[in-house]
Amino acid sequence: MSVLVFTENWDGNFKKLSFELVSYAAKVAEMTGTTATALSIGQVSDDELKKLGNYGAKKIISLKSDLLKNLDSQAYTAAIAEIAQNEGAKIIVLANNNMGKSIAPRLSVRLKAAIGSGTNKLPLSTDPFVVYRKVYSGNAFAHLKLNTEIKILTLMQNSFDPVETANEASIENREVSIDGAMVKTQVKDVQKQTGKLLLTDAEIVVSGGRGMKSPDNWGPLVELADLLGAATACSRPVSDEGWRPHEEHTGQTGKIVAPNLYIAVGISGATQHLAGVSASKYIVAINSDKDAPIFEAAQYGIVGDAAKILPQLVNAVKEVKAK
Amino acid sequence: MKILVCISNVPDTTTKVKFTDNNTKFDSTGVQWVINPWDELALTRALELKDNPASGVKGVTVAHVGPATSEPTIRKALAIGADDAIRVNFEPTEAYQVAAQLAEVIKNEPFDIILCGIESSDYNGSTVGSMLAEFLNAPSVSAVSGLNVENGEATITRDIDGGKETVSVPKPFVAIVQKGIAKEPRIAAMRGIMQARTKQIKVVEPVSVSPLTELIEFEPPKPRAKCIFVDAENPKQLIELLQNEAKVI
């Protein structure tokens, strides 16, 4: 018995999401009277692996096989399933991100394990095992009972605070029975943005909509984001118009984000946009239309012209920082 | 080669979501049903590929797991340009059942490329495509934002954290697609709507699949606190509130 948590790495490093996952798994383990075991796939140093122990993993299993260098959904599923079975894991936790979404559902079928995907809370109860998850694109939540012996949970990013604990974890290097023929995905080319804060990782997001009026007006928005250590985002019309890159589109069909603070500038707040940002802890709206639906979702608002307000906000942040 | 596009029938994305029966059932009164937005993009891309003779794509079929009441949505897909459709006559309660039913369809009638949208706008599970691939023991590629087919050979672009990868997998495979796969969803033209009337929707009976999960209840989102307005003449106050009250900066 244990809770197995799969922690992806980024060029050999973990990030806040990894620690959120381990902390979450440790808490779920505590609720079910067991311990959390973290599973890392790829070339990760012992020093880096040890960090997972600081968030509550009692055991850390490291698979370093070259066959698992790139994400192949079948090979990763086979590897995680094998470890889960060896460990007698009854609960498997993954991130609800691109990686987790490509593996968790396959694991569900392979292990005949019910899945609670995209949860943002601890299980509501463990006997029966009930998870809480977003449905109807954030317009409702479901209490879903998982009726199988093994259960899979995928956790939304930035929905569970990492908790550091004093804990000594053991690290075990393992092999799994994967052969080359099993790996079907050939990676031909990789294009990576480097040095840029990822939208999904950002704790603060500053986002612009059509109310910005022109792509030339983004200067103060970007400056505000830089000052706040925030990522920049945009609404769908803005990315459709090519004012900003598609990677910045937040909303139902774009990126789903849940930062601590989402500042929506010149965004009216159509349901499709809110579907992508409603899990933000605080929403600030700046819009010239006082009846814009974004104000219903926002905790703080300013009715006014973005072009006038943004430079003043930039100055205000500079003043605060100077203190 | 043939492409199968799996489609889900969902409430229009602007629907006011309400529940009945003590919050255990979605209230479908007055709801407009549409093709799930990501599935619509998948269908659009499949048709674009079929339009290009160099792709080698000869046919596009749509598959849906649902009762007869979802046929108008299937007809829409046919009007947009799918050649034919398969409907599994079953009302699923969860993704696992949908994937299991689709897998049976494909075992009986193979396809080279199977496209699924990344999620449905109602259940938001992001699970059907990968589950289906596992049932079929076929490769799957998730977060697909680009798909090209030349002479039957597929090149896939998938999104990774902070970038993109170009990959290939042997056929048959399942591609789970998202934004970028097609620019704008294709809209049915009058000619397509006329033709759709005579296109075939094959109805197949379901296999028996027990659900793994059970819905206890739905919960409407908690109303947010009322917006606190800051005077446009004094935006500085906003920064103070964010710093001292919300403590997020």
Side-chain angles (χ1 to χ4, degrees):
Chain A
M1 264 267 292
S2 68
V3 174
L4 184 71
V5 52
F6 169 58
T7 47
E8 177 183 358
N9 72 85
W10 291 265
D11 299 321
N13 300 308
F14 295 122
K15 62 181 180 187
K16 185 169 164 259
L17 169 63
S18 324
F19 308 132
E20 290 168 11
L21 285 164
V22 175
S23 299
Y24 181 84
K27 190 71 199 173
V28 173
E30 194 188 305
M31 288 169 75
T32 51
T34 178
T35 56
T37 298
L39 170 63
S40 161
I41 296 179
Q43 301 300 320
V44 182
S45 70
D46 277 7
D47 279 348
E48 191 69 14
L49 287 170
K50 265 187 203 147
K51 289 184 187 168
L52 301 177
N54 300 341
Y55 293 90
K58 291 282 181 213
K59 179 157 74 174
I60 298 152
I61 298 172
S62 173
L63 302 180
K64 294 193 171 77
S65 165
D66 269 350
L67 292 171
L68 297 168
K69 190 166 155 271
N70 297 310
L71 169 61
D72 177 276
S73 59
Q74 285 173 296
Y76 270 58
T77 300
I80 298 173
E82 188 176 323
I83 297 292
Q85 278 165 336
N86 290 344
E87 294 299 309
K90 293 289 178 277
I91 298 169
I92 308 172
V93 177
L94 301 95
N96 187 49
N97 63 358
N98 286 345
M99 174 77 88
K101 284 178 190 173
S102 48
I103 305 165
R106 296 197 73 125
L107 274 176
S108 163
V109 172
R110 172 151 319 196
L111 302 172
K112 211 165 184 204
I115 184 168
S117 66
T119 186
N120 63 350
K121 272 189 185 177
L122 288 167
L124 299 176
S125 66
T126 55
D127 189 18
F129 201 94
V130 179
V131 295
Y132 183 87
R133 57 181 303 277
K134 176 187 88 171
V135 288
Y136 294 97
S137 298
N139 288 310
F141 296 88
H143 298 193
L144 187 71
K145 189 173 147 207
L146 308 187
N147 281 334
T148 49
E149 195 195 351
I150 303 175
K151 295 151 190 93
I152 299 172
L153 303 174
T154 66
L155 179 69
M156 299 274 284
Q157 189 163 355
N158 204 30
S159 64
F160 194 82
D161 288 332
V163 191
E164 278 200 77
T165 56
N167 174 44
E168 272 297 307
S170 61
I171 297 177
E172 294 178 18
N173 285 296
R174 296 259 190 102
E175 305 282 332
V176 278
S177 54
I178 288 178
D179 61 61
M182 201 185 270
V183 181
K184 309 264 176 51
T185 310
Q186 270 196 327
V187 176
K188 298 177 160 177
D189 185 42
V190 184
Q191 291 169 293
K192 269 196 178 168
Q193 300 177 328
T194 45
K196 210 181 153 201
L197 176 63
L198 292 181
L199 187 49
T200 43
D201 287 344
E203 297 192 3
I204 303 177
V205 173
V206 186
S207 187
R210 239 185 321 212
M212 293 290 291
K213 296 200 179 94
S214 151
D216 304 330
N217 296 340
W218 245 261
L221 188 150
V222 174
E223 195 182 355
L224 180 65
D226 285 345
L227 283 167
L228 293 172
T232 52
C234 69
S235 68
R236 179 172 173 172
V238 164
S239 76
D240 281 356
E241 289 289 336
W243 292 4
R244 299 293 295 174
H246 281 293
E247 293 79 53
E248 287 197 357
H249 166 199
T250 46
Q252 185 168 49
T253 51
K255 290 211 166 63
I256 312 281
V257 296
N260 294 338
L261 173 62
Y262 183 82
I263 303 179
V265 187
I267 294 175
S268 63
T271 46
Q272 292 90 338
H273 186 77
L274 294 176
V277 305
S278 61
S280 307
K281 294 194 178 77
Y282 284 90
I283 295 177
V284 167
I286 299 166
N287 204 295
S288 55
D289 173 10
K290 68 172 174 40
D291 297 321
I294 189 78
F295 288 119
E296 282 164 38
Q299 283 84 356
Y300 300 106
I302 302 181
V303 179
D305 182 7
K308 274 192 205 150
I309 290 163
L310 278 173
Q312 294 186 63
L313 288 177
V314 166
N315 287 336
V317 175
K318 278 182 184 163
E319 272 177 44
V320 165
K321 296 241 159 185
K323 270 182 200 165
Chain B
M1 67 184 281
K2 294 197 304 181
I3 299 182
L4 181 72
V5 182
C6 305
I7 62 169
S8 187
N9 182 34
V10 298
D12 179 90
T13 49
T14 57
T15 302
K16 184 94 190 133
V17 175
K18 286 179 295 194
F19 301 101
T20 61
D21 297 38
N22 276 330
N23 282 338
T24 56
K25 278 203 175 71
F26 174 71
D27 183 358
S28 57
T29 318
V31 168
Q32 286 267 3
W33 295 86
V34 297
I35 307 173
N36 179 43
W38 293 272
D39 304 345
E40 203 176 19
L41 287 176
L43 175 62
T44 300
R45 186 60 193 150
L47 295 171
E48 286 169 2
L49 290 168
K50 191 189 152 201
D51 288 348
N52 173 13
S55 72
V57 175
K58 297 273 186 265
V60 175
T61 301
V62 292
H64 172 73
V65 180
T69 46
S70 40
E71 289 214 354
T73 295
I74 302 175
R75 278 292 161 211
K76 246 180 255 171
L78 294 172
I80 292 168
D83 298 305
D84 53 4
I86 301 165
R87 178 174 69 82
V88 182
N89 190 26
F90 178 72
E91 195 157 0
T93 61
E94 60 172 15
Y96 184 82
Q97 290 179 316
V98 176
Q101 299 296 346
L102 289 171
E104 281 305 307
V105 166
I106 296 160
K107 279 175 194 162
N108 294 325
E109 186 182 340
F111 289 86
D112 303 281
I113 299 177
I114 298 136
L115 300 181
C116 295
I118 180 83
E119 65 173 59
S120 64
S121 60
D122 52 359
Y123 200 72
N124 305 124
S126 294
T127 45
V128 170
S130 295
M131 283 183 171
L132 171 60
E134 185 66 23
F135 275 119
L136 296 171
N137 195 23
S140 58
V141 184
S142 288
V144 171
S145 59
L147 172 67
N148 228 329
V149 183
E150 266 177 74
N151 296 321
E153 290 304 313
T155 310
I156 303 162
T157 308
R158 71 175 170 196
D159 286 10
I160 52 171
D161 247 12
K164 287 181 188 299
E165 278 181 353
T166 310
V167 304
S168 70
V169 287
K171 288 180 304 224
F173 64 82
V174 179
I176 297 125
V177 308
Q178 61 182 34
K179 185 181 164 73
I181 188 75
K183 268 202 145 112
E184 288 279 325
R186 197 174 275 200
I187 294 164
M190 189 45 80
R191 190 157 155 261
I193 295 167
M194 300 297 283
Q195 284 172 340
R197 290 181 188 166
T198 55
K199 285 179 182 171
Q200 195 203 2
I201 302 178
K202 190 164 108 184
V203 179
V204 298
E205 287 309 312
V207 289
S208 161
V209 186
S210 308
L212 308 184
T213 62
E214 188 185 327
L215 180 95
I216 305 291
E217 63 170 320
F218 290 111
E219 186 184 305
K222 292 185 181 60
R224 285 191 180 246
K226 238 179 151 39
C227 185
I228 297 167
F229 284 95
V230 170
D231 186 358
E233 299 303 317
N234 187 19
K236 202 179 146 186
Q237 197 203 337
L238 173 67
I239 301 301
E240 287 163 7
L241 284 168
L242 292 176
Q243 195 179 28
N244 303 323
E245 192 178 87
K247 298 187 169 64
V248 283
I249 59 170

